[in-house]
Amino acid sequence: RTYARECDAVVFLSEDYKEKVNSITNRRFDNLYSILNPFDQAPQITKKASHQVVFVGRLVFQKRLDRLLKAWKYVEEYVPDANLIIVGDGEASICYKEYAQKLKLKNRRLTLQA
């Protein structure tokens, strides 16, 4: 049974899946589509990549930003030129700033912006 025959459109995450369906069914379906990976289409980066992580969101406890800050402590140790930028504001912003100080994160590589 081929679902492609019964659907208006079938969307795959890769062009390869479209070809596999067509080859398995020995038919060519016009309603098969794929979402292309933008990184496959992007030009290759030749210069050194920046080690920068940006978090954008509300600074509330449900976001568990404490986990990011704790993980960042290890990133700072192993990737010395890495930067973490946190953009947002919320009820937990002061707590997260205090937690970053408690972890002794390096201020020159951690930016908390409201």
Side-chain angles (χ1 to χ4, degrees), residues 1-8 10 21 25 27 29 31-32:
R1 179 172 178 185
T2 306
Y3 292 103
R5 199 176 325 169
E6 300 171 15
C7 298
D8 293 328
V10 179
V21 168
T25 60
R27 278 189 68 183
F29 291 99
N31 62 341
L32 302 180

Side-chain angles (χ1 to χ4, degrees), residues 3-17:
Y3 292 103
R5 199 176 325 169
E6 300 171 15
C7 298
D8 293 328
V10 179
V11 180
F12 297 103
L13 297 177
S14 169
E15 189 74 21
D16 294 338
Y17 294 124

Side-chain angles (χ1 to χ4, degrees), residues 4-5 7-8 11 13 22-23 25 41 44 46 53 59 67 88-89:
R5 199 176 325 169
C7 298
D8 293 328
V11 180
L13 297 177
N22 286 328
S23 67
T25 60
Q41 306 300 317
Q44 294 297 321
T46 55
V53 174
L59 302 182
R67 292 179 178 174
D89 199 9

Side-chain angles (χ1 to χ4, degrees), residues 30-47:
D30 294 330
N31 62 341
L32 302 180
Y33 302 94
S34 64
I35 300 171
L36 300 178
N37 184 342
F39 294 107
D40 290 341
Q41 306 300 317
Q44 294 297 321
I45 299 172
T46 55
K47 64 181 182 179

